[in-house]
Amino acid sequence: METRQFQTMLEERGIVLSPQQLEQFELYYELLVEWNEKMNLTAITDKPGVYLKHFFDSISPAFYYDFSKPISICDVGAGAGFPSIPLKICFPHLKLSIVDSLQKRITFLNHLASKLQLENVAFYHDRAETFGRKEGIRESFDVVIARAVARMAVLSELCLPLVKMNGTFIAMKAAAAGEELEQGKTAIKVLGGEVERTEQFILPIEQSERTIIFIEKKRKTPKKYPRKPGMPNKLPIE
């Protein structure tokens, strides 16, 4: 995906980028490649690939959800900043928090945010299981988002405790999401969520399937969740 194509395809979805925002994406790409030589941030480093599989793909939830409002968003396990940093570039008013378990990724994100001159961003070096139990953090976000972090039964335990009442958990998945969602139904219900809808689309150019799952927080998450680090993965709620 070339830069012009990226811009045009977003415009077709109602997302119009300013010259400054396009420059931010360009700088993001340059910094990603530069830092990737020092640490493993991504296997995709060619420019068309990054623009398609990281930038465009990260923005895709905005095709189905209104990010134009002043909302707080938490990205769980963002790695090199996907999907939340591309969303933040498109919607600068978002109040963004990212939690990631690797300090070196947090170091990169701090540097990135500084270079891109992003405001209202906070980065936390923590496990999602302990982060979700913290006072002032737990059940405090309008939107919690995760992209390809874990299967739904596990991911729900990492994310739903962070979502405030009537907020939304957005899970970005590939093609096999239906089966995952079926296995994760018990966990979603136990943790206070209800599946609102799923949206499917084809990532252009490479024509791969994507599924975005929207879960509403209808009830408070029981205090015992999330469990200790590693437990959601070892013994998923199923």
Side-chain angles (χ1 to χ4, degrees):
M1 176 176 271
E2 301 305 323
T3 314
R4 180 77 193 123
Q5 202 175 12
F6 172 71
Q7 186 181 3
T8 305
M9 285 191 163
L10 287 179
E11 281 175 5
E12 286 168 2
R13 298 282 193 163
I15 299 166
V16 180
L17 299 178
S18 68
Q20 184 199 356
Q21 287 168 310
L22 288 166
E23 279 173 27
Q24 285 176 305
F25 276 112
E26 191 64 25
L27 183 53
Y28 191 171
Y29 169 70
E30 288 169 10
L31 290 166
L32 181 69
V33 171
E34 180 192 321
W35 279 63
N36 201 57
E37 290 175 7
K38 297 181 275 185
M39 62 176 78
N40 182 28
L41 291 167
T42 174
I44 303 160
T45 54
D46 66 294
K47 193 171 180 181
V50 169
Y51 267 80
L52 175 68
K53 296 175 188 174
H54 284 327
F55 295 168
F56 189 84
D57 191 36
S58 288
I59 299 162
S60 63
F63 305 160
Y64 310 101
Y65 185 90
D66 184 8
F67 285 98
S68 66
K69 299 171 285 190
I71 56 175
S72 59
I73 180 169
C74 180
D75 187 349
V76 173
F82 308 121
S84 57
I85 299 284
L87 283 167
K88 171 73 175 169
I89 294 171
C90 293
F91 305 96
H93 56 272
L94 292 175
K95 188 181 178 189
L96 172 63
S97 297
I98 289 179
V99 57
D100 198 276
S101 60
L102 269 188
Q103 179 60 54
K104 63 180 182 179
R105 289 201 287 247
I106 297 295
T107 304
F108 167 72
L109 291 170
N110 273 309
H111 179 75
L112 179 69
S114 169
K115 290 291 185 184
L116 298 184
Q117 298 181 325
L118 301 179
E119 295 175 352
N120 264 334
V121 291
F123 305 118
Y124 299 92
H125 173 226
D126 205 347
R127 291 284 298 255
E129 295 97 327
T130 48
F131 190 64
R133 297 188 75 87
K134 288 182 175 169
E135 204 175 325
I137 295 284
R138 184 182 178 86
E139 296 188 316
S140 70
F141 296 99
D142 296 308
V143 172
V144 176
I145 195 164
R147 176 179 181 246
V149 173
R151 55 206 171 97
M152 282 304 295
V154 178
L155 195 59
S156 299
E157 188 170 350
L158 303 181
C159 295
L160 274 167
L162 293 163
V163 183
K164 65 164 65 164
M165 284 294 290
N166 301 312
T168 307
F169 162 38
I170 302 174
M172 299 175 67
K173 293 286 177 184
E179 190 183 326
E180 258 196 59
L181 191 54
E182 192 58 42
Q183 291 168 347
K185 272 185 176 173
T186 302
I188 292 164
K189 189 176 180 183
V190 165
L191 296 156
E194 280 181 24
V195 178
E196 184 207 354
R197 62 198 160 102
T198 60
E199 300 284 356
Q200 289 172 310
F201 80 106
I202 303 293
L203 192 67
I205 300 161
E206 73 163 29
Q207 299 292 300
S208 54
E209 286 181 48
R210 294 287 187 273
T211 305
I212 305 173
I213 302 165
F214 295 88
I215 294 166
E216 275 196 41
K217 181 76 168 275
K218 294 291 192 183
R219 300 168 299 281
K220 288 181 84 68
T221 300
K223 282 182 180 170
K224 70 174 185 175
Y225 300 110
R227 291 165 293 167
K228 288 178 182 175
M231 283 300 287
N233 208 29
K234 201 181 288 179
L235 291 169
I237 308 163
E238 284 178 348

